[in-house]
Amino acid sequence: MTEAYRDDLAHVHDAGFGGLGRAAAWHLLGELRRRRVETGTVADLGCGSGIFAGELAAAGFDLVGFDLSEAMVALARRRVPAARFEVASARSAKLPPSVAVAAVGEVFNYLFDRGAARALPRLFARVYTALAPGGLFLFDVAGPGNVAGRGPRRVHAEGEGWAVLATVEEDRRRRRLTRHITTFRRAGKGYRRDHEVHSLALFPRAEVAAWLRAAGFRVRLLSGYGPTRFPPGLAGFLARKP
């Protein structure tokens, strides 16, 4: 379990930042249908609030999701009651035999789970074993170049009953990204404030592609999920088990 993505940030992420998950789901559905795969199990690593899982479940797939945030898993269970969700990291998740595995939203970069970033080559090998022949592995990874110039980068967003402010700093030498995130969420007649700090390891796309190929995958680099383009520093991968 983790103290990150507590109730308020989980709510904000679900309410205002579901676009990437939906776009990834539609992208994966298109790839599966192109291969005439209409049923089977899809494993969702870092499932968040279940937005990606909901799209795949609605299309007839069985979903198994994993996330370190109890608040996110609670939201996912409400959104997709027919799916199975567990509080677990990508590294410790027991992957079922699957037609596809996905990890959307920089799942492999987060340093909440100690040692998880260093374990990526082993995790890729586990995903390869879990996939059926021809199975697909869809995910995105943050790499160097998230913050232009010396930074930091400041972003904000707001919606009905919430607002979020973030300061993003990149340490190019250590290949680390740090986000200081402050949320405001309506609570009664006022707003409740919370603050989280997220640290991410950054991986060059060539390094990630090499790990995938070493695990046995055939690899295609993505610049976005369908028409949704990635921001600077984010790279996507569609890996296939032969």
Side-chain angles (χ1 to χ4, degrees), residues 7-8 11-12 161-163 183-187 190-193:
D7 286 344
D8 288 351
H11 170 82
V12 167
W162 61 268
T183 56
F184 297 88
R185 184 181 177 189
R186 183 176 294 150
Y191 281 79
R192 180 172 60 239
R193 180 185 183 277

Side-chain angles (χ1 to χ4, degrees), residues 46-64:
C47 62
S49 60
I51 291 172
F52 173 93
E55 298 291 336
L56 270 293
F61 290 88
D62 299 319
L63 267 294
V64 180

